[in-house]
Amino acid sequence: MQQDKIPVVVLISGRGSNLQAIIDNSQNDQLDIDIKAVISNRPDVVGLERARAAGIPAITIDHTMFCDRTAFEQALRECIDQYQPQLVILAGFMRILGADFVNHYHGRMLNIHPSLLPKYPGLNTHQRAIDNHDSEHGASIHFVTTELDGGPAVLQVRVPVLDNDTAETLAARVLEQEHHLYCQAIQWFAEQRLSMKDSKVIFDQKELQQPRIARSQ
Ligand code: GRF
């Protein structure tokens, strides 16, 4: 570890395998972060158990308990801000976020998306890559902006699509890469090598014209 750990909050909706990779790497001192809380919009998901097992506050803010999106996001924001995070990490968080919320975390909220953005924003990315006979697929880390899966991409990994791939087999290979990818981008942010300015990614003081490409592991 090279410097103080930055406080982060992780938002999830389910399984939390990316969360687990982030927890493991922070516990092994591979990530200079302090995970202050994990918040899920769905109760009783595996990701919350993973947080609890690591001794991290595991909180549910169930979106179905609010009258509208604004009320849900207000509660979510109040909860997150108690922890004063320098970075908010969306790790399989499956709610679309409104402009006020997104702007509040401008330049300090990252998302992982299972495609080579700008290809395939939204859902069913693996099946869409197969249906389009893509020879490669992958995952992207991007800053969150008001455009769904449209914020500037920081880092991508490419995964070949095999002839006999199903959405499930392809998703599994991409997911394995996601875990490394997200930790890499988070560490860059923690080391202050990464920021967003005028909707562009700044990496090591220079504007990135293209996302960085990670070596597949
Ligand atoms: C991942 O594929 C991620 O890219 C997408 O949602 C999935 C979350 O998986 N945004 P997990 O909950 O981290 O296991």
Side-chain angles (χ1 to χ4, degrees), residues 9-10 35-40 47-48 51-52 54-60 83:
V9 169
V10 184
I35 308 171
K36 295 289 185 189
V38 170
I39 306 173
S40 172
L48 288 170
R52 267 184 227 113
I56 299 165
I59 300 160
T60 300
Y83 297 101

Side-chain angles (χ1 to χ4, degrees), residues 14-19 91-92 112-114 175 178:
R15 171 180 64 184
S17 70
N18 278 287
L19 167 69
I112 184 159
H113 183 76
L175 188 65
E178 287 185 33

